[in-house]
Amino acid sequence: MRLVQSFFSGSMVRVWLGVAAIGMVLTPAARAAERPVPANVELSAGWQMQDVAKAAEDGAKISSAAYKPAGWYGATVPGTVLTTLVNNHVYPEPLYGENNRPENIPESLNKTSYWYRTVVRVPKDYKKRHVWLNFDGINYSAVVWVNGTEVGTIRGAFIRGRFDISAQVKPGKDAVVAVLVTPQPHPGVPHEHTLRDGLGKNGGITAIDGPTFLSTIGWDWLPAIRDRDTGIWRKVYLSATGDVVVRDPLVTTDLPLPKTDSADVAVEATVENVTDKPVEGVLKGAIENIAFEQPVTLAAHASQVVKFDPKTVAALHILNPRLWWPNGYGPQNLYKLHLSFEVKKKDSDAKDVTFGVRKITYELPGSDNLAISVNGVPVFIRGGDWGLDEGMKRLPRARLEAQIRMHAEANMNMIRNWVGQSTNEDFYEMCDKYGILLWDEFFQPNPSDGPNPTDIPTYIANVRDKILRYRNHPSIAVWCARNEGYPPPEIDQELRKLMAELEPTRLYQPSSTAGRGVVSHGPYHWRTPREFYKQDAAFKTETGSVSVPTIESIHGMMPEKDWETITDDWAEHDFAKGASGSDKYPGIMTERYGKIANLADFVRKAQLMNYEAFRAMYEGREAFLFHPDTGVITWMSNPAQPSFVWQIYHYDLEPNAALFAVKKAGEMVHVQLNEATGQVEVINNLPTAVEGATAKVAVYNMDGTIAGSREYPVTAPADVATELGALEVPATASAVYFVKLELRDSAGKLLSDNFYWKAQAAHEDDLTAMDAMPVVKLNAQVARVDADGKTVVTVTLTNPTKEIAVMAHLQLRRKSGERVLPVYYSDNYVSLTPGESRTVTVEAATKDLNGEDALVVVDGWNVDVEPASAAGVAVGLNVDAQVSHWPVTGLPFQTVGLR
């Protein structure tokens, strides 16, 4: 090991370089672990909650040990007020059926304050240290009391609260924490979603309060949440430090592009003396086998920003770094920085920071359009908008991981955090893990959806804390000030100051719909595939379609009385007059695919329409790959409640056909049919050319016979769409025909395939003949392997007939028939030509099978399946999805008795 001493600006920085050998030298992280700061203690159990009208005593009394709560509810923390009341069976599950109507769950919930109270034992090892009470998020404002003393306040849903309670508590003894939580000042009056009145105007006065869940007044994707998500919505914990705390660490990385064989890493942190006397100590940092430190002297209550970079610490110039890449472009490598401040050889405070080495740039040569490149590689953005992660902020880490993993499975590489409504640490960590870039916004909607905030200091304080809290996450690519409009000058000026101070590397985009080719504004309704090829923006931040879930998901979101009639229950779940055009959707379906027999038939036809629209949504943009289009973000990928629109998976986490359509369109090397021009195209997202490949095009008649075929030699340059030639459809082809595309490399390996159903140009939107296709019974082979807590089922479907099987859908269940969720499918909604086989892998957590055998059920447009089985698994027909299983109802709209 060698010791290097360097002197800069009068302060000394010591750097150690070395690789640890077992039994000889400890790594920096191991050395730090010898003198650990006491562990945090999360306060998640023992909370009680009560309406302030029923607990009228003051905070001093309620936070005293002598106070005995009577009639209080056991509180869910983290959680909202309504979550606690639902968990205590005061109100029914709001997002099921029409339970959320105001006659069932009153609007008064957002017009009163609530007491939260708990008793916690302060750890003994906090002795002789400062004890801190930490809140990661409260909506909207709070007054905090500990053992009879008010210790501080919080205002805004996205700011942390941290209070030194050393004077109020004793290590080894119990402490009483009481929090008076008050809803946002302007909860507004929501529009109720009904068939008669539609989904109405989005938002309202709630926006005036700025940093809160303003969408909970109701939007066209979420009914009003009656408490407006008031409550302690993020975790609460105790921590302990010495006299100096480490705050706001920042790690930035730079690459000498186009080279990526080295990286410059810069580290900074604020150290603060929280005492009345001066303190001397050392700030130490460690990144794997690189360690560095700097002595610091702090006056009483003083703070100082300490910085390290390759100019002062040569080892922070890292050779051959492991890079962080977006999904599809490479691995998501992460590093860990350990920072500690040591006083008299004892850690006063410590912070761990996870970061990625990567460099994002925002333009391409010869274009003024926003174009995101990572590590020098252009990234075509395939993203999804999140309006709100969950209507009531019920989002355990496992659920959030499933949601973000499904984006990665769909070959997406960005999530747009619309108006910053989906903000918590787990969200960012999962985006880092799965390579999902973030377009991250602050807290203002479209100007027509609500007024500007009036409490500017609170707004800016919440923005500042959000940036400081999350800026080390490599997934964040863009900070955006406002949805579909510019922030008012007084906010924009402050945000620009914050960016200059806190954000040295990321793009600040003032609006989601203007500047550098960025445009929003939909459309949001279902369209024919060719309509998605209109070139209206280089970087499209919002465009969407109706997206109907599976029949099982629909059954799970509403009572049986609403299954076979489109009622106000459907409107409560976003199926009504509005931007989605849901009220017109059944008519479009009937004209395109034939008369609707019942709900099962509606779902069957909707999956074809899901697939058509969502595939074209992305293929239509990739047809202009970087010339000029640079990205498209669907409105929306994640539903905040059970919904019929704007999603690639349902609220219950079951994907519908939209997810697999996006997955297909998002292949890094992809063969597609341009549904506007008829050209066969190869989309190459790779930074290297595809050479020596062959594309095969086959046109099938509806009876399964081949009407014509052709092969094309393929040389596809990097980062462009390459046209191969126009699709040739013989005049003798059937009125409805099918197109199968295959792209193979020079060794014959399949790179991409695709399958379309089309109608002759004279009646291009009439696909009703498909309704008469004969049922195809598929053969199946199945196997199951359990390992490392996961169950992987492999299903091979084979079409032994001379007919075409369209959109075969697999669904994993337990043997008892209950669905397993979440599940990850390598592919789904697959179509098989005569004699074709397709193997699909299905992954789930073994624990979710509850010890039962696995059952894979199959349905589809015209699909049956021969039962098959193997050890621990079987394949069978999904009976409930069959149109013939249910009476013919016509699935009419309710026309009488409307609200």
Side-chain angles (χ1 to χ4, degrees):
M1 178 178 289
R2 55 193 179 92
L3 171 64
V4 181
Q5 292 186 341
S6 302
F7 295 86
F8 297 90
S9 304
S11 63
M12 184 174 69
V13 178
R14 299 187 182 92
V15 186
W16 285 268
L17 302 176
V19 179
I22 296 175
M24 295 177 61
V25 181
L26 291 175
T27 64
R31 286 197 299 272
E34 290 183 305
R35 303 176 298 276
V37 173
N40 296 345
V41 176
E42 186 170 350
L43 280 60
S44 58
W47 286 93
Q48 295 175 287
M49 188 196 81
Q50 186 54 279
D51 187 325
V52 72
K54 299 177 182 179
E57 297 86 351
D58 63 17
K61 185 172 183 179
I62 288 176
S63 66
S64 69
Y67 184 77
K68 305 298 180 187
W72 287 41
Y73 300 107
T76 301
V77 175
T80 64
V81 168
L82 183 53
T83 298
T84 285
L85 296 174
V86 169
N87 290 347
N88 281 274
H89 309 292
V90 178
Y91 300 116
E93 165 53 46
L95 303 185
Y96 176 80
E98 295 189 76
N99 287 347
N100 192 55
R101 297 295 184 187
E103 60 268 26
N104 300 323
I105 303 177
E107 274 284 297
S108 60
L109 293 180
N110 61 61
K111 297 174 178 64
T112 185
S113 298
Y114 300 86
W115 278 110
Y116 284 79
R117 184 182 190 274
T118 192
V119 180
V120 59
R121 177 63 57 89
V122 181
K124 290 182 180 180
D125 63 353
Y126 283 17
K127 188 177 181 180
K128 295 183 179 181
R129 287 182 173 267
H130 293 265
V131 180
W132 302 87
L133 176 61
N134 305 272
F135 294 85
D136 274 357
I138 291 181
N139 187 39
Y140 174 77
S141 60
V143 182
V144 182
W145 296 73
V146 177
N147 284 349
T149 301
E150 181 182 333
V151 298
T153 62
I154 303 169
R155 187 174 179 85
F158 307 108
I159 195 168
R160 293 166 291 183
R162 193 179 196 217
F163 309 105
D164 189 339
I165 60 172
S166 307
Q168 287 76 43
V169 302
K170 293 182 179 180
K173 302 294 184 180
D174 286 346
V176 180
V177 178
V179 186
L180 182 62
V181 176
T182 300
Q184 64 180 111
H186 301 90
V189 178
H191 172 89
E192 299 300 324
H193 295 174
T194 65
L195 291 180
R196 184 186 63 193
D197 297 333
L199 300 176
K201 177 175 166 46
N202 290 333
I205 191 65
T206 55
I208 203 170
D209 296 327
T212 186
F213 303 114
L214 55 90
S215 60
T216 56
I217 191 177
W219 234 261
D220 50 11
W221 42 269
L222 184 70
I225 304 300
R226 304 303 172 183
D227 69 343
R228 305 297 190 267
D229 284 351
T230 299
I232 304 176
W233 73 279
R234 292 301 296 155
K235 73 178 180 180
V236 185
Y237 62 98
L238 296 179
S239 61
T241 70
D243 292 343
V244 176
V245 297
V246 180
R247 295 192 294 105
D248 306 328
L250 172 64
V251 184
T252 57
T253 63
D254 194 16
L255 299 171
L257 299 176
K259 294 182 179 180
T260 59
D261 57 356
S262 67
D264 287 341
V265 178
V267 176
E268 69 176 65
T270 299
V271 290
E272 180 184 4
N273 178 2
V274 296
T275 72
D276 297 325
K277 58 186 179 181
V279 177
E280 292 183 359
V282 181
L283 179 64
K284 294 185 174 184
I287 303 172
E288 296 186 350
N289 66 328
I290 302 170
F292 43 92
E293 63 179 49
Q294 180 168 319
V296 180
T297 299
L298 294 167
H301 296 289
S303 63
Q304 178 181 332
V305 177
V306 182
K307 298 182 179 182
F308 306 92
D309 60 37
K311 295 178 181 178
T312 59
V313 180
L316 291 177
H317 178 73
I318 299 174
L319 299 179
N320 301 312
R322 305 186 305 274
L323 301 180
W324 185 92
W325 291 94
N327 180 41
Y329 290 82
Q332 288 73 54
N333 294 305
L334 295 170
Y335 287 81
K336 183 159 287 187
L337 163 70
H338 180 77
L339 284 173
S340 62
F341 194 88
E342 192 176 283
V343 178
K344 296 180 181 179
K345 298 185 178 181
K346 181 180 179 181
D347 280 356
S348 176
D349 194 14
K351 292 285 187 295
D352 288 318
V353 178
T354 299
F355 68 96
V357 175
R358 58 97 179 98
K359 184 172 184 176
I360 300 179
T361 55
Y362 299 95
E363 59 188 5
L364 291 175
S367 174
D368 295 328
N369 294 324
L370 173 63
I372 291 177
S373 295
V374 180
N375 304 330
V377 177
V379 176
F380 184 84
I381 295 300
R382 296 181 296 274
D385 288 290
W386 282 38
L388 187 65
D389 38 28
E390 200 274 338
M392 292 166 60
K393 303 303 290 184
R394 297 172 295 188
L395 208 73
R397 186 178 175 91
R399 176 182 174 88
L400 184 60
E401 178 163 15
Q403 291 169 297
I404 292 177
R405 177 176 171 181
M406 280 193 281
H407 284 68
E409 296 278 338
N411 289 324
M412 286 184 166
N413 53 39
M414 177 171 276
I415 288 172
R416 176 174 166 237
N417 186 9
W418 176 88
V419 195
Q421 299 285 280
S422 303
T423 299
N424 67 65
E425 185 64 36
D426 293 341
F427 177 71
Y428 294 91
E429 288 182 5
M430 289 301 120
C431 287
D432 291 347
K433 178 177 178 178
Y434 288 101
I436 304 299
L437 294 164
L438 280 168
W439 173 296
D440 205 351
E441 295 185 354
F442 302 128
F443 321 117
Q444 283 195 270
N446 184 308
S448 67
D449 293 335
N452 294 330
T454 53
D455 183 352
I456 305 300
T458 292
Y459 187 92
I460 297 301
N462 277 252
V463 171
R464 168 180 278 274
D465 199 54
K466 176 174 177 173
I467 294 171
L468 288 172
R469 188 174 182 179
Y470 299 121
R471 60 184 176 171
N472 291 303
H473 289 278
S475 53
I476 299 174
V478 177
W479 293 115
C480 181
R482 187 171 197 170
N483 172 55
E484 298 178 329
Y486 289 99
E490 61 271 25
I491 288 181
D492 183 57
Q493 292 167 10
E494 291 298 318
L495 293 181
R496 291 180 186 275
K497 290 178 185 177
L498 286 181
M499 294 300 153
E501 176 192 354
L502 306 177
E503 265 296 8
T505 63
R506 290 187 178 93
L507 174 70
Y508 169 69
Q509 176 82 14
S511 169
S512 72
T513 193
R516 303 186 64 179
V518 177
V519 176
S520 178
H521 299 311
Y524 305 96
H525 56 272
W526 191 90
R527 286 94 80 201
T528 62
R530 64 184 178 276
E531 292 176 271
F532 285 95
Y533 285 75
K534 293 179 180 178
Q535 214 298 306
D536 61 345
F539 196 110
K540 189 73 171 175
T541 54
E542 291 184 18
T543 185
S545 175
V546 174
S547 181
V548 175
T550 65
I551 191 169
E552 292 80 11
S553 291
I554 295 173
H555 287 171
M557 68 195 256
M558 58 178 56
E560 187 172 354
K561 67 180 181 63
D562 296 320
W563 291 356
E564 293 293 342
T565 304
I566 299 173
T567 66
D568 278 340
D569 196 342
W570 289 54
E572 183 75 347
H573 297 283
D574 311 323
F575 200 87
K577 290 182 292 185
S580 72
S582 300
D583 55 321
K584 300 176 182 177
Y585 181 81
I588 296 170
M589 175 183 286
T590 298
E591 291 181 1
R592 191 169 185 83
Y593 286 110
K595 190 174 180 180
I596 301 168
N598 47 31
L599 178 62
D601 194 34
F602 175 79
V603 170
R604 179 181 74 119
K605 290 177 166 124
Q607 298 314 312
L608 269 67
M609 294 174 71
N610 288 353
Y611 204 98
E612 286 184 290
F614 278 81
R615 176 173 58 183
M617 196 180 300
Y618 292 85
E619 289 186 339
R621 299 283 164 175
E622 292 192 313
F624 303 97
L625 187 66
F626 297 120
H627 299 282
D629 285 9
T630 57
V632 57
I633 305 177
T634 185
W635 186 265
M636 297 153 56
S637 55
N638 174 72
Q641 70 143 354
S643 178
F644 285 97
V645 303
W646 302 336
Q647 58 196 344
I648 62 172
Y649 50 80
H650 189 59
Y651 176 85
D652 63 14
L653 301 182
E654 179 167 39
N656 64 39
L659 184 146
F660 301 99
V662 176
K663 180 183 179 78
K664 178 64 65 178
E667 295 170 324
M668 294 296 288
V669 177
H670 177 63
V671 62
Q672 67 179 42
L673 174 65
N674 186 312
E675 299 200 65
T677 66
Q679 284 283 325
V680 178
E681 300 171 336
V682 171
I683 310 300
N684 183 10
N685 285 285
L686 298 176
T688 56
V690 174
E691 298 178 335
T694 301
K696 181 179 180 180
V697 181
V699 177
Y700 286 83
N701 294 312
M702 203 165 64
D703 65 3
T705 58
I706 294 180
S709 64
R710 182 174 175 180
E711 290 189 355
Y712 300 88
V714 175
T715 297
D719 299 320
V720 297
T722 299
E723 292 186 348
L724 303 182
L727 174 70
E728 298 174 359
V729 181
T732 56
S734 54
V736 174
Y737 59 91
F738 303 97
V739 180
K740 183 174 178 60
L741 308 178
E742 289 185 340
L743 178 66
R744 296 183 182 272
D745 67 12
S746 57
K749 179 183 176 182
L750 184 67
L751 299 176
S752 172
D753 68 343
N754 219 332
F755 184 87
Y756 299 81
W757 44 99
K758 305 285 291 179
Q760 294 280 11
H763 49 89
E764 61 184 343
D765 294 324
D766 182 1
L767 297 162
T768 55
M770 290 179 67
D771 221 0
M773 292 181 70
V775 172
V776 175
K777 180 172 278 192
L778 303 176
N779 292 333
Q781 292 179 306
V782 63
R784 170 180 172 174
V785 176
D786 294 356
D788 301 322
K790 298 177 182 178
T791 292
V792 176
V793 174
T794 303
V795 181
T796 299
L797 298 176
T798 300
N799 179 1
T801 75
K802 295 182 180 180
E803 306 287 345
I804 291 176
V806 177
M807 294 277 280
H809 168 226
L810 287 72
Q811 185 185 81
L812 182 65
R813 297 182 178 182
R814 305 180 190 97
K815 185 179 179 180
S816 58
E818 297 174 330
R819 286 178 297 162
V820 178
L821 296 167
V823 180
Y824 308 101
Y825 301 87
S826 62
D827 200 359
N828 215 330
Y829 293 94
V830 297
S831 296
L832 299 173
T833 55
E836 186 178 6
S837 294
R838 185 72 58 86
T839 298
V840 176
T841 59
V842 184
E843 179 194 322
T846 302
K847 64 179 178 58
D848 290 342
L849 285 159
N850 293 350
E852 296 185 34
D853 284 356
L855 172 65
V856 178
V857 294
V858 179
D859 59 80
W861 177 255
N862 62 328
V863 172
D864 195 355
V865 67
E866 191 71 36
S869 63
V873 62
V875 174
L877 182 67
N878 184 351
V879 176
D880 282 351
Q882 305 307 306
V883 178
S884 60
H885 181 69
W886 304 93
V888 174
T889 63
L891 195 65
F893 278 91
Q894 182 182 357
T895 56
V896 296
L898 297 176
R899 291 173 180 267

PDB file of all heavy atoms in Angstrom, residues 672-691:
ATOM      1  N   GLN A 672     -40.127  -4.171 -39.245  1.00  0.00           N
ATOM      2  CA  GLN A 672     -41.498  -3.699 -39.124  1.00  0.00           C
ATOM      3  C   GLN A 672     -42.086  -3.361 -40.487  1.00  0.00           C
ATOM      4  O   GLN A 672     -41.373  -3.146 -41.476  1.00  0.00           O
ATOM      5  CB  GLN A 672     -41.574  -2.471 -38.224  1.00  0.00           C
ATOM      6  CG  GLN A 672     -40.915  -1.220 -38.782  1.00  0.00           C
ATOM      7  CD  GLN A 672     -41.042  -0.030 -37.839  1.00  0.00           C
ATOM      8  OE1 GLN A 672     -40.890  -0.164 -36.618  1.00  0.00           O
ATOM      9  NE2 GLN A 672     -41.312   1.146 -38.383  1.00  0.00           N
ATOM     10  N   LEU A 673     -43.413  -3.300 -40.493  1.00  0.00           N
ATOM     11  CA  LEU A 673     -44.157  -2.838 -41.650  1.00  0.00           C
ATOM     12  C   LEU A 673     -44.620  -1.419 -41.361  1.00  0.00           C
ATOM     13  O   LEU A 673     -45.344  -1.184 -40.394  1.00  0.00           O
ATOM     14  CB  LEU A 673     -45.357  -3.743 -41.917  1.00  0.00           C
ATOM     15  CG  LEU A 673     -46.312  -3.284 -43.028  1.00  0.00           C
ATOM     16  CD1 LEU A 673     -45.602  -3.298 -44.385  1.00  0.00           C
ATOM     17  CD2 LEU A 673     -47.558  -4.175 -43.072  1.00  0.00           C
ATOM     18  N   ASN A 674     -44.188  -0.488 -42.183  1.00  0.00           N
ATOM     19  CA  ASN A 674     -44.655   0.887 -42.038  1.00  0.00           C
ATOM     20  C   ASN A 674     -46.110   0.923 -42.484  1.00  0.00           C
ATOM     21  O   ASN A 674     -46.413   0.763 -43.666  1.00  0.00           O
ATOM     22  CB  ASN A 674     -43.794   1.828 -42.880  1.00  0.00           C
ATOM     23  CG  ASN A 674     -44.135   3.285 -42.665  1.00  0.00           C
ATOM     24  OD1 ASN A 674     -45.293   3.681 -42.689  1.00  0.00           O
ATOM     25  ND2 ASN A 674     -43.097   4.089 -42.465  1.00  0.00           N
ATOM     26  N   GLU A 675     -47.002   1.131 -41.532  1.00  0.00           N
ATOM     27  CA  GLU A 675     -48.431   0.989 -41.829  1.00  0.00           C
ATOM     28  C   GLU A 675     -49.017   2.239 -42.458  1.00  0.00           C
ATOM     29  O   GLU A 675     -50.216   2.282 -42.739  1.00  0.00           O
ATOM     30  CB  GLU A 675     -49.175   0.575 -40.567  1.00  0.00           C
ATOM     31  CG  GLU A 675     -48.679  -0.772 -40.042  1.00  0.00           C
ATOM     32  CD  GLU A 675     -49.649  -1.453 -39.107  1.00  0.00           C
ATOM     33  OE1 GLU A 675     -50.749  -1.822 -39.559  1.00  0.00           O
ATOM     34  OE2 GLU A 675     -49.304  -1.617 -37.925  1.00  0.00           O
ATOM     35  N   ALA A 676     -48.195   3.234 -42.693  1.00  0.00           N
ATOM     36  CA  ALA A 676     -48.636   4.395 -43.452  1.00  0.00           C
ATOM     37  C   ALA A 676     -48.185   4.326 -44.907  1.00  0.00           C
ATOM     38  O   ALA A 676     -48.935   4.666 -45.822  1.00  0.00           O
ATOM     39  CB  ALA A 676     -48.113   5.679 -42.810  1.00  0.00           C
ATOM     40  N   THR A 677     -46.951   3.852 -45.121  1.00  0.00           N
ATOM     41  CA  THR A 677     -46.396   3.836 -46.484  1.00  0.00           C
ATOM     42  C   THR A 677     -46.365   2.450 -47.116  1.00  0.00           C
ATOM     43  O   THR A 677     -46.188   2.327 -48.333  1.00  0.00           O
ATOM     44  CB  THR A 677     -44.956   4.376 -46.476  1.00  0.00           C
ATOM     45  OG1 THR A 677     -44.114   3.471 -45.741  1.00  0.00           O
ATOM     46  CG2 THR A 677     -44.895   5.757 -45.836  1.00  0.00           C
ATOM     47  N   GLY A 678     -46.489   1.395 -46.311  1.00  0.00           N
ATOM     48  CA  GLY A 678     -46.398   0.039 -46.832  1.00  0.00           C
ATOM     49  C   GLY A 678     -44.979  -0.456 -47.003  1.00  0.00           C
ATOM     50  O   GLY A 678     -44.768  -1.571 -47.507  1.00  0.00           O
ATOM     51  N   GLN A 679     -43.987   0.317 -46.588  1.00  0.00           N
ATOM     52  CA  GLN A 679     -42.597  -0.098 -46.700  1.00  0.00           C
ATOM     53  C   GLN A 679     -42.239  -1.111 -45.605  1.00  0.00           C
ATOM     54  O   GLN A 679     -42.689  -0.998 -44.454  1.00  0.00           O
ATOM     55  CB  GLN A 679     -41.674   1.108 -46.553  1.00  0.00           C
ATOM     56  CG  GLN A 679     -41.615   2.002 -47.782  1.00  0.00           C
ATOM     57  CD  GLN A 679     -40.764   1.408 -48.887  1.00  0.00           C
ATOM     58  OE1 GLN A 679     -39.760   0.745 -48.639  1.00  0.00           O
ATOM     59  NE2 GLN A 679     -41.178   1.651 -50.136  1.00  0.00           N
ATOM     60  N   VAL A 680     -41.425  -2.081 -45.956  1.00  0.00           N
ATOM     61  CA  VAL A 680     -40.805  -2.961 -44.969  1.00  0.00           C
ATOM     62  C   VAL A 680     -39.528  -2.274 -44.508  1.00  0.00           C
ATOM     63  O   VAL A 680     -38.716  -1.821 -45.335  1.00  0.00           O
ATOM     64  CB  VAL A 680     -40.504  -4.346 -45.568  1.00  0.00           C
ATOM     65  CG1 VAL A 680     -39.817  -5.236 -44.531  1.00  0.00           C
ATOM     66  CG2 VAL A 680     -41.798  -4.996 -46.060  1.00  0.00           C
ATOM     67  N   GLU A 681     -39.339  -2.195 -43.195  1.00  0.00           N
ATOM     68  CA  GLU A 681     -38.239  -1.412 -42.644  1.00  0.00           C
ATOM     69  C   GLU A 681     -37.480  -2.200 -41.590  1.00  0.00           C
ATOM     70  O   GLU A 681     -38.060  -3.050 -40.899  1.00  0.00           O
ATOM     71  CB  GLU A 681     -38.770  -0.116 -42.003  1.00  0.00           C
ATOM     72  CG  GLU A 681     -39.498   0.794 -42.976  1.00  0.00           C
ATOM     73  CD  GLU A 681     -40.190   1.957 -42.296  1.00  0.00           C
ATOM     74  OE1 GLU A 681     -40.510   1.856 -41.088  1.00  0.00           O
ATOM     75  OE2 GLU A 681     -40.431   2.971 -42.980  1.00  0.00           O
ATOM     76  N   VAL A 682     -36.202  -1.897 -41.461  1.00  0.00           N
ATOM     77  CA  VAL A 682     -35.393  -2.411 -40.371  1.00  0.00           C
ATOM     78  C   VAL A 682     -34.970  -1.219 -39.513  1.00  0.00           C
ATOM     79  O   VAL A 682     -34.394  -0.246 -40.026  1.00  0.00           O
ATOM     80  CB  VAL A 682     -34.164  -3.190 -40.872  1.00  0.00           C
ATOM     81  CG1 VAL A 682     -33.223  -3.510 -39.706  1.00  0.00           C
ATOM     82  CG2 VAL A 682     -34.602  -4.474 -41.557  1.00  0.00           C
ATOM     83  N   ILE A 683     -35.264  -1.303 -38.233  1.00  0.00           N
ATOM     84  CA  ILE A 683     -34.916  -0.253 -37.271  1.00  0.00           C
ATOM     85  C   ILE A 683     -33.700  -0.741 -36.500  1.00  0.00           C
ATOM     86  O   ILE A 683     -33.757  -1.774 -35.821  1.00  0.00           O
ATOM     87  CB  ILE A 683     -36.073   0.025 -36.305  1.00  0.00           C
ATOM     88  CG1 ILE A 683     -37.391   0.247 -37.070  1.00  0.00           C
ATOM     89  CG2 ILE A 683     -35.734   1.199 -35.398  1.00  0.00           C
ATOM     90  CD1 ILE A 683     -37.369   1.399 -38.036  1.00  0.00           C
ATOM     91  N   ASN A 684     -32.614  -0.011 -36.599  1.00  0.00           N
ATOM     92  CA  ASN A 684     -31.383  -0.406 -35.920  1.00  0.00           C
ATOM     93  C   ASN A 684     -31.046   0.614 -34.834  1.00  0.00           C
ATOM     94  O   ASN A 684     -30.550   1.704 -35.117  1.00  0.00           O
ATOM     95  CB  ASN A 684     -30.226  -0.527 -36.908  1.00  0.00           C
ATOM     96  CG  ASN A 684     -28.949  -1.019 -36.243  1.00  0.00           C
ATOM     97  OD1 ASN A 684     -28.964  -1.450 -35.090  1.00  0.00           O
ATOM     98  ND2 ASN A 684     -27.839  -0.948 -36.961  1.00  0.00           N
ATOM     99  N   ASN A 685     -31.325   0.261 -33.578  1.00  0.00           N
ATOM    100  CA  ASN A 685     -31.004   1.121 -32.443  1.00  0.00           C
ATOM    101  C   ASN A 685     -29.574   0.949 -31.954  1.00  0.00           C
ATOM    102  O   ASN A 685     -29.152   1.647 -31.027  1.00  0.00           O
ATOM    103  CB  ASN A 685     -31.957   0.829 -31.280  1.00  0.00           C
ATOM    104  CG  ASN A 685     -33.343   1.406 -31.496  1.00  0.00           C
ATOM    105  OD1 ASN A 685     -33.546   2.604 -31.380  1.00  0.00           O
ATOM    106  ND2 ASN A 685     -34.300   0.542 -31.829  1.00  0.00           N
ATOM    107  N   LEU A 686     -28.850   0.023 -32.546  1.00  0.00           N
ATOM    108  CA  LEU A 686     -27.493  -0.251 -32.089  1.00  0.00           C
ATOM    109  C   LEU A 686     -26.520   0.801 -32.629  1.00  0.00           C
ATOM    110  O   LEU A 686     -26.766   1.416 -33.672  1.00  0.00           O
ATOM    111  CB  LEU A 686     -27.044  -1.633 -32.572  1.00  0.00           C
ATOM    112  CG  LEU A 686     -27.846  -2.832 -32.067  1.00  0.00           C
ATOM    113  CD1 LEU A 686     -27.326  -4.113 -32.719  1.00  0.00           C
ATOM    114  CD2 LEU A 686     -27.773  -2.947 -30.558  1.00  0.00           C
ATOM    115  N   PRO A 687     -25.381   0.992 -31.929  1.00  0.00           N
ATOM    116  CA  PRO A 687     -24.375   1.936 -32.435  1.00  0.00           C
ATOM    117  C   PRO A 687     -23.497   1.346 -33.536  1.00  0.00           C
ATOM    118  O   PRO A 687     -22.579   2.000 -34.011  1.00  0.00           O
ATOM    119  CB  PRO A 687     -23.550   2.251 -31.184  1.00  0.00           C
ATOM    120  CG  PRO A 687     -23.674   1.045 -30.324  1.00  0.00           C
ATOM    121  CD  PRO A 687     -25.050   0.496 -30.573  1.00  0.00           C
ATOM    122  N   THR A 688     -23.789   0.110 -33.941  1.00  0.00           N
ATOM    123  CA  THR A 688     -23.053  -0.542 -35.024  1.00  0.00           C
ATOM    124  C   THR A 688     -24.034  -1.015 -36.091  1.00  0.00           C
ATOM    125  O   THR A 688     -25.203  -1.277 -35.814  1.00  0.00           O
ATOM    126  CB  THR A 688     -22.251  -1.747 -34.502  1.00  0.00           C
ATOM    127  OG1 THR A 688     -23.144  -2.648 -33.827  1.00  0.00           O
ATOM    128  CG2 THR A 688     -21.177  -1.293 -33.528  1.00  0.00           C
ATOM    129  N   ALA A 689     -23.546  -1.152 -37.301  1.00  0.00           N
ATOM    130  CA  ALA A 689     -24.400  -1.547 -38.416  1.00  0.00           C
ATOM    131  C   ALA A 689     -24.769  -3.029 -38.340  1.00  0.00           C
ATOM    132  O   ALA A 689     -24.033  -3.849 -37.792  1.00  0.00           O
ATOM    133  CB  ALA A 689     -23.701  -1.260 -39.743  1.00  0.00           C
ATOM    134  N   VAL A 690     -25.918  -3.362 -38.887  1.00  0.00           N
ATOM    135  CA  VAL A 690     -26.326  -4.754 -39.112  1.00  0.00           C
ATOM    136  C   VAL A 690     -25.997  -5.078 -40.563  1.00  0.00           C
ATOM    137  O   VAL A 690     -26.502  -4.421 -41.480  1.00  0.00           O
ATOM    138  CB  VAL A 690     -27.819  -4.955 -38.832  1.00  0.00           C
ATOM    139  CG1 VAL A 690     -28.257  -6.371 -39.214  1.00  0.00           C
ATOM    140  CG2 VAL A 690     -28.137  -4.671 -37.372  1.00  0.00           C
ATOM    141  N   GLU A 691     -25.148  -6.073 -40.762  1.00  0.00           N
ATOM    142  CA  GLU A 691     -24.707  -6.395 -42.111  1.00  0.00           C
ATOM    143  C   GLU A 691     -24.890  -7.877 -42.395  1.00  0.00           C
ATOM    144  O   GLU A 691     -24.830  -8.707 -41.486  1.00  0.00           O
ATOM    145  CB  GLU A 691     -23.233  -6.013 -42.294  1.00  0.00           C
ATOM    146  CG  GLU A 691     -22.976  -4.516 -42.135  1.00  0.00           C
ATOM    147  CD  GLU A 691     -21.514  -4.155 -42.275  1.00  0.00           C
ATOM    148  OE1 GLU A 691     -20.664  -5.041 -42.030  1.00  0.00           O
ATOM    149  OE2 GLU A 691     -21.215  -3.000 -42.615  1.00  0.00           O
TER     150      GLU A 691
END
